[in-house]
mmCIF file of all heavy atoms in Angstrom:
data_model
loop_
_atom_site.group_PDB
_atom_site.id
_atom_site.type_symbol
_atom_site.label_atom_id
_atom_site.label_comp_id
_atom_site.label_asym_id
_atom_site.label_seq_id
_atom_site.Cartn_x
_atom_site.Cartn_y
_atom_site.Cartn_z
ATOM 1 N N ASN A 1258 -32.288 -48.594 -54.663
ATOM 2 C CA ASN A 1258 -32.848 -48.113 -53.412
ATOM 3 C C ASN A 1258 -34.158 -48.820 -53.125
ATOM 4 O O ASN A 1258 -35.098 -48.746 -53.906
ATOM 5 C CB ASN A 1258 -33.083 -46.596 -53.495
ATOM 6 C CG ASN A 1258 -33.364 -46.011 -52.138
ATOM 7 O OD1 ASN A 1258 -34.085 -46.627 -51.356
ATOM 8 N ND2 ASN A 1258 -32.796 -44.859 -51.869
ATOM 9 N N PRO A 1259 -34.222 -49.536 -52.007
ATOM 10 C CA PRO A 1259 -35.411 -50.354 -51.752
ATOM 11 C C PRO A 1259 -36.622 -49.539 -51.298
ATOM 12 O O PRO A 1259 -37.729 -50.068 -51.257
ATOM 13 C CB PRO A 1259 -34.953 -51.290 -50.632
ATOM 14 C CG PRO A 1259 -33.886 -50.520 -49.923
ATOM 15 C CD PRO A 1259 -33.225 -49.662 -50.945
ATOM 16 N N TYR A 1260 -36.425 -48.271 -50.914
ATOM 17 C CA TYR A 1260 -37.513 -47.534 -50.271
ATOM 18 C C TYR A 1260 -38.449 -46.867 -51.258
ATOM 19 O O TYR A 1260 -38.045 -46.457 -52.347
ATOM 20 C CB TYR A 1260 -36.943 -46.477 -49.332
ATOM 21 C CG TYR A 1260 -36.185 -47.092 -48.182
ATOM 22 C CD1 TYR A 1260 -34.818 -46.894 -48.048
ATOM 23 C CD2 TYR A 1260 -36.857 -47.885 -47.242
ATOM 24 C CE1 TYR A 1260 -34.126 -47.459 -47.000
ATOM 25 C CE2 TYR A 1260 -36.161 -48.456 -46.199
ATOM 26 C CZ TYR A 1260 -34.798 -48.248 -46.074
ATOM 27 O OH TYR A 1260 -34.138 -48.809 -45.047
ATOM 28 N N SER A 1261 -39.686 -46.707 -50.814
ATOM 29 C CA SER A 1261 -40.677 -46.008 -51.634
ATOM 30 C C SER A 1261 -40.302 -44.526 -51.706
ATOM 31 O O SER A 1261 -39.539 -44.020 -50.887
ATOM 32 C CB SER A 1261 -42.061 -46.149 -50.997
ATOM 33 O OG SER A 1261 -42.109 -45.431 -49.785
ATOM 34 N N GLU A 1262 -40.839 -43.846 -52.694
ATOM 35 C CA GLU A 1262 -40.550 -42.424 -52.891
ATOM 36 C C GLU A 1262 -40.866 -41.637 -51.631
ATOM 37 O O GLU A 1262 -40.136 -40.759 -51.206
ATOM 38 C CB GLU A 1262 -41.370 -41.871 -54.065
ATOM 39 C CG GLU A 1262 -40.813 -42.227 -55.427
ATOM 40 C CD GLU A 1262 -39.327 -41.883 -55.554
ATOM 41 O OE1 GLU A 1262 -38.959 -40.741 -55.227
ATOM 42 O OE2 GLU A 1262 -38.543 -42.770 -55.950
ATOM 43 N N SER A 1263 -41.998 -41.997 -51.042
ATOM 44 C CA SER A 1263 -42.448 -41.231 -49.877
ATOM 45 C C SER A 1263 -41.477 -41.405 -48.711
ATOM 46 O O SER A 1263 -41.160 -40.451 -47.994
ATOM 47 C CB SER A 1263 -43.884 -41.667 -49.553
ATOM 48 O OG SER A 1263 -44.081 -41.834 -48.187
ATOM 49 N N ILE A 1264 -40.968 -42.616 -48.533
ATOM 50 C CA ILE A 1264 -39.992 -42.818 -47.451
ATOM 51 C C ILE A 1264 -38.699 -42.086 -47.766
ATOM 52 O O ILE A 1264 -38.114 -41.433 -46.910
ATOM 53 C CB ILE A 1264 -39.733 -44.326 -47.234
ATOM 54 C CG1 ILE A 1264 -40.992 -44.977 -46.668
ATOM 55 C CG2 ILE A 1264 -38.535 -44.544 -46.320
ATOM 56 C CD1 ILE A 1264 -40.860 -46.429 -46.323
ATOM 57 N N LYS A 1265 -38.293 -42.144 -49.004
ATOM 58 C CA LYS A 1265 -37.063 -41.449 -49.385
ATOM 59 C C LYS A 1265 -37.177 -39.953 -49.086
ATOM 60 O O LYS A 1265 -36.254 -39.322 -48.590
ATOM 61 C CB LYS A 1265 -36.761 -41.676 -50.878
ATOM 62 C CG LYS A 1265 -36.060 -43.003 -51.131
ATOM 63 C CD LYS A 1265 -35.479 -43.074 -52.523
ATOM 64 C CE LYS A 1265 -36.546 -43.532 -53.489
ATOM 65 N NZ LYS A 1265 -36.051 -43.740 -54.863
ATOM 66 N N GLU A 1266 -38.344 -39.451 -49.403
ATOM 67 C CA GLU A 1266 -38.550 -38.022 -49.170
ATOM 68 C C GLU A 1266 -38.399 -37.711 -47.668
ATOM 69 O O GLU A 1266 -37.786 -36.713 -47.268
ATOM 70 C CB GLU A 1266 -39.956 -37.636 -49.643
ATOM 71 C CG GLU A 1266 -40.160 -36.146 -49.791
ATOM 72 C CD GLU A 1266 -41.625 -35.833 -50.078
ATOM 73 O OE1 GLU A 1266 -42.254 -36.619 -50.833
ATOM 74 O OE2 GLU A 1266 -42.116 -34.845 -49.537
ATOM 75 N N MET A 1267 -38.952 -38.573 -46.838
ATOM 76 C CA MET A 1267 -38.877 -38.339 -45.399
ATOM 77 C C MET A 1267 -37.454 -38.517 -44.873
ATOM 78 O O MET A 1267 -37.037 -37.847 -43.952
ATOM 79 C CB MET A 1267 -39.833 -39.284 -44.657
ATOM 80 C CG MET A 1267 -41.282 -38.887 -44.810
ATOM 81 S SD MET A 1267 -41.590 -37.190 -44.243
ATOM 82 C CE MET A 1267 -42.098 -36.428 -45.760
#
Side-chain angles (χ1 to χ4, degrees):
N1258 193 319
Y1260 295 115
S1261 68
E1262 282 309 310
S1263 137
I1264 292 184
K1265 278 194 275 185
E1266 195 188 322
M1267 286 303 116

